[in-house]
Amino acid sequence: MQNESENYGNTGTLYLCATPIGNLEDITLRVLRTLKEVDVIAAEDTRNSIHLLNAYDIDTPLTSYHEYNKVSKARTLVQKLLKGENIALITDAGTPAISDPGEEIVKQCIEAGIKVTSLPGACACITALTISGEDTRRFAFEAFLPTDKKLRNRILEELKEETRTIIMYESPHHLVRTLSELRETFGGDRHTAVIRELTKLHETAMHMTLDEVIRYYDSNDPRGEYVIVVAGKSMELQDEENKRKWEEMPLEEHMKYYEDMGMDRKSAMKAVASDRGVAKNVIYKQLL
């Protein structure tokens, strides 16, 4: 395993460079300098990235690196890095390797012993979270939900019990469908922030329940790129539901559940008492 003190020899460095997610000024001086100094820039869409480079008078050669060539092109770029060339990786918007094909070349570089460093900057999920008004201490990033129906349903079921704030991306064409699925999974009263066109001129952030935001889009067409930030399930509600589930189970069946796991009678009573939110002696008396 590599560490900071390791010698990378004469290999080049892969620089993960965060680019603007909307406003062209959302780029760091360090990224601009690096883009000018590297030997080549690998871009998700060269037609899109050329506008950024032209805006800052950067004439470094561009090459394409995207979802459909990420494995083979990564091998080619790794060979360049092994020969000592330095490469900057940029995405259409935001930080490379976050919901992005960049993770493939990072893996290949690490396997080849090539240094990888990330130059921080714009990231849509973090930017949206900070203006969502939801809990920022603990969050789960889901990016785009999978299109495969079975996998999509499985992930939604997993998220049903998620207590952390949930962040996901969505296109305007599928926004209402995704919001409807979230309402069906979480309930219509779950608080949500729907944020569009981050850092752009028409940036908007709506803070509503899932019921309210779906009603809004009944009469307003979605436009632009969206980040959906959904409040996690409250731990208090989760505890209440768990307690109700155990209370509905016959006491002896509840005891058997833990005894079948290898617990002795005394430990099982303690666990049952905890599940039901009562003192252990209450369970003891009921069993008698």
Side-chain angles (χ1 to χ4, degrees):
M1 182 176 290
Q2 294 177 352
N3 55 54
E4 290 184 355
S5 63
E6 227 172 329
N7 184 356
Y8 291 95
N10 296 319
T11 65
T13 298
L14 176 67
Y15 296 91
L16 308 179
C17 297
T19 54
I21 56 177
N23 192 309
L24 200 61
E25 295 178 350
D26 291 333
I27 192 165
T28 69
L29 295 175
R30 185 183 174 203
V31 167
L32 291 175
R33 176 178 56 79
T34 300
L35 293 178
K36 291 177 180 178
E37 293 178 353
V38 294
D39 297 291
V40 65
I41 299 171
E44 186 175 9
D45 187 336
T46 56
R47 295 167 300 179
N48 180 61
S49 297
I50 195 65
H51 299 299
L52 172 68
L53 302 187
N54 287 341
Y56 289 103
D57 296 321
I58 299 171
D59 58 8
T60 305
L62 272 174
T63 187
S64 64
Y65 174 83
H66 48 73
E67 182 65 29
Y68 303 104
N69 73 351
K70 63 182 181 182
V71 176
S72 59
K73 191 57 175 284
R75 294 194 193 103
T76 301
L77 295 174
V78 164
Q79 291 305 311
K80 289 179 177 291
L81 288 158
L82 288 171
K83 292 176 182 177
E85 292 188 35
N86 293 313
I87 298 175
L89 179 68
I90 60 176
T91 183
D92 281 348
T95 301
I98 300 295
S99 186
D100 174 84
E103 63 180 338
E104 174 62 31
I105 190 173
V106 171
K107 290 176 183 176
Q108 290 195 28
C109 283
I110 291 171
E111 290 172 359
I114 294 166
K115 182 178 179 180
V116 180
T117 187
S118 185
L119 281 56
C123 184
C125 63
I126 298 300
T127 306
L129 176 64
T130 58
I131 64 173
S132 69
E134 303 301 336
D135 179 21
T136 60
R137 189 179 73 86
R138 300 172 66 246
F139 58 91
F141 176 56
E142 281 296 329
F144 289 92
L145 288 173
T147 54
D148 179 81
K149 187 175 181 180
K150 185 177 180 180
L151 182 57
R152 188 181 182 94
N153 290 338
R154 178 176 177 178
I155 289 176
L156 286 169
E157 279 303 306
E158 288 178 359
L159 292 175
K160 192 173 185 177
E161 297 302 316
E162 179 60 72
T163 58
R164 295 171 295 177
T165 301
I166 302 161
I167 309 168
M168 56 184 64
Y169 296 156
E170 194 49 274
S171 67
H173 311 294
H174 301 122
L175 178 70
V176 174
R177 172 198 169 189
T178 296
L179 289 172
S180 298
E181 290 175 334
L182 293 176
R183 178 176 63 179
E184 185 178 341
T185 304
F186 302 145
D189 59 349
R190 185 73 68 90
H191 200 269
T192 305
V194 178
I195 302 159
R196 62 180 289 272
E197 298 295 86
L198 271 171
T199 79
K200 296 179 182 176
L201 180 63
H202 298 293
E203 173 186 288
T204 57
M206 298 191 300
H207 307 274
M208 302 178 175
T209 64
L210 283 168
D211 274 339
E212 290 169 339
V213 75
I214 289 172
R215 281 199 297 270
Y216 172 84
Y217 283 112
D218 281 341
S219 54
N220 295 273
D221 292 331
R223 294 180 180 178
E225 297 302 315
Y226 288 83
V227 183
I228 305 169
V229 185
V230 187
K233 187 174 188 176
S234 75
M235 291 185 179
E236 293 77 13
L237 177 59
Q238 197 174 57
D239 290 343
E240 287 175 13
E241 290 178 350
N242 288 334
K243 182 182 176 183
R244 196 178 309 123
K245 180 188 71 175
W246 292 120
E247 287 174 344
E248 292 170 355
M249 180 184 290
L251 186 55
E252 281 293 352
E253 186 179 332
H254 196 169
M255 285 289 294
K256 186 175 183 299
Y257 171 80
Y258 286 113
E259 289 174 332
D260 287 347
M261 292 171 61
M263 286 188 180
D264 58 45
R265 192 76 171 167
K266 184 177 180 182
S267 298
M269 279 193 287
K270 185 176 180 180
V272 169
S274 176
D275 288 342
R276 294 176 179 242
V278 298
K280 189 174 71 172
N281 66 327
V282 173
I283 300 299
Y284 178 76
K285 290 177 181 177
Q286 290 178 357
L287 289 170
L288 286 176

